[in-house]
DNA sequence: GAATGTGAACTCCTTCACAGCA
DNA sequence: TGCTGTGAAGGAGTTCACATTC
């Protein structure tokens, strides 16, 4: 038995991927100086149903008050803690094409302790260039830089054919969380967390949904 | 009973979101001049299990040969057809910040009939600027341009607070498929297909998976 | 009275085991 | 014999209904 201390065991992965959405919805209420919300209000802001929200939150323990609702500040703290967002998460981006440069500068990445701290590319003609505050480093420097800066998350924004090599280099350097934008299935050792974002696939799915035969369909990770 | 002619009814949405991955895996084999693959080989390339692949393909009808495998060319044609990729899909990108510009130029978007044909932004200081081959148009031009170019898919790459207005404008102009990068839940009428890509959420989930208590976990849309 | 928390039902997806066919 | 195709079993996620608590 591993940890009676941790009240956060076995959270379903579907729930985990909605927690950040709830956190953002809470921030929205906080900026409006709302201090208390019902599951109905919070769910509407997050784009889910109230029962879904309550079931999800129940996995973190009871933090609402029956007949009243949730305290915005308290629930925010609870979610922040559950997601591990009360520390810093240094990020490295590998691949300085259009997408990689945009990600390096993307303001949505610079929230909640995530900070892009290192940039890498394979192409000698761009190494040394500045993107935002950072110099593009060579792949040869990756191991040292990752260790020195304590990089926790590696973002792969290379073409498909170099993504596996990059993943291997990141894992070899000690990175154990990867966000992959290359359209390829990465082979990774046990214990390395990976999320893939596949932009072309999203378009393909939309194309399918919009075919004449299936007008009216509304499937997928929609809204 | 609805349509014995169409062999493509009621494909589970989980299957639909894997079909593009299979198609890409098939392209990979085709470039190596492989003409026949087993479900095991194709599944390995796609990063799924063989039984999953076979079950998914079974929703499209039987296109393999027992004891032999699948014909790469034939299955490619079948998937291309099922996904509706044998036509052109004009795309518009709204929001010309870092991410929008990268998406406008992203080569992964320029595959299989998807072509970025129009760019829009709200900010007068960038309207008229060229990004790639295209001039940034104003939001006021959106309705006309969408109609004239027959835009089928709208990509929203604006900040969260303008995303709903943009979505309304796109839908009002006749767009019925939206790819949303803004971190907000869009309210859309029935019949409008939407997929959301939330970059900050992906980082949050990775942070959760990498917390000390849950080393070893390997959840999510991983690999 | 009002809104949360949760067992149970239900739906959807994945995996298994094997029948069916070249 | 070898590999596909698929009914059935198993597992995961969502929704319902309602007991519970302030």
């Amino acid at each position: 038995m591993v940890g009676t201390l941790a009240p956060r065991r076995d959270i379903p992965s579907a729930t985990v991927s909605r927690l950040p959405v709830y956190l953002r919805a809470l921030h929205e209420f906080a900026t409006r100086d709302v201090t208390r919300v019902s599951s109905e209000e919070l769910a509407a802001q997050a784009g889910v149903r109230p029962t879904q929200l309550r079931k999800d939150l129940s996995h973190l323990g009871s933090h609402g008050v029956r007949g009243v609702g949730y305290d915005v500040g308290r629930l925010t703290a609870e979610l922040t803690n559950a997601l591990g967002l009360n520390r810093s998460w240094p990020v490295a981006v590998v691949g300085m094409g259009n997408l990689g440069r945009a990600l390096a500068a993307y303001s949505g990445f610079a929230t909640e302790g995530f900070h892009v701290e290192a940039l890498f590319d394979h192409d000698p003609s761009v190494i040394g260039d500045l993107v935002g505050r950072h110099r593009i480093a060579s792949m040869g420097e990756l191991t040292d830089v990752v260790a020195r800066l304590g990089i926790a998350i590696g973002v792969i924004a290379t073409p498909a054919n170099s993504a596996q090599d990059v993943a291997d280099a990141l894992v070899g350097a000690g990175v154990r969380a990867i966000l992959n934008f290359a359209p390829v299935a990465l082979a990774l050792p046990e214990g390395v967390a990976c999320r893939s974002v596949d932009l072309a696939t999203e378009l393909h799915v939309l194309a399918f949904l919009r075919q004449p035969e299936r007008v009216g369909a509304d499937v997928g990770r929609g809204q």
Side-chain angles (χ1 to χ4, degrees), chain A:
Chain A
M1 201 187 276
V2 196
T4 36
L5 202 149
R8 187 210 318 102
R9 294 271 45 175
D10 291 335
I11 305 183
S13 68
T15 294
V16 172
S17 48
R18 281 187 298 264
L19 295 182
V21 180
Y22 302 153
L23 187 55
R24 194 154 48 215
L26 284 168
H27 286 323
E28 183 62 29
F29 282 105
T31 61
R32 288 190 237 146
D33 292 320
V34 176
T35 60
R36 219 158 50 187
V37 286
S38 66
S39 62
E40 188 157 340
E41 296 165 318
L42 190 54
Q45 177 71 36
V48 304
R49 292 194 223 306
T51 70
Q52 174 101 83
L53 172 77
R54 294 205 300 275
K55 177 66 94 179
D56 283 340
L57 294 183
S58 76
H59 293 292
L60 308 180
S62 297
H63 301 294
V65 180
R66 292 168 201 241
V68 178
Y70 300 89
D71 181 273
V72 172
R74 180 166 172 213
L75 191 54
T76 300
E78 213 61 55
L79 283 174
T80 301
N81 183 56
L83 287 167
L85 299 179
N86 35 23
R87 52 156 283 195
S88 172
W89 293 91
V91 173
V93 180
V94 185
M96 288 290 111
N98 286 314
L99 184 62
R101 284 167 194 259
L103 294 173
Y106 184 53
S107 57
F109 267 26
T111 59
E112 312 274 4
F114 298 93
H115 300 288
V116 174
E117 302 287 0
L119 309 174
F120 299 95
D121 201 287
H122 180 253
D123 178 1
S125 73
V126 304
I127 291 169
D129 289 3
L130 273 177
V131 174
R133 300 185 299 114
H134 296 288
R135 201 187 121 264
I136 301 176
S138 70
M139 293 303 292
E141 300 171 78
L142 193 142
T143 303
D144 284 354
V145 172
V146 163
R148 179 154 43 81
L149 301 179
I151 297 296
I153 298 176
V155 176
I156 300 179
T158 66
N161 57 23
S162 29
Q164 184 63 57
D165 288 345
V166 170
D168 293 343
L170 286 168
V171 171
V175 172
R176 311 237 291 167
I178 288 175
L179 180 52
N180 176 42
F181 287 86
V184 67
L186 298 177
L188 296 169
E190 279 277 310
V192 176
C194 178
R195 304 274 292 184
S196 286
V197 175
D198 189 331
L199 303 177
T201 289
E202 300 300 332
L203 287 183
H204 289 193
V205 172
L206 285 174
F208 175 86
L209 296 175
R210 277 275 57 83
Q211 283 187 277
E213 302 87 47
R214 35 189 60 253
V215 167
D218 197 9
V219 191
R221 265 186 305 132
Q223 33 173 326

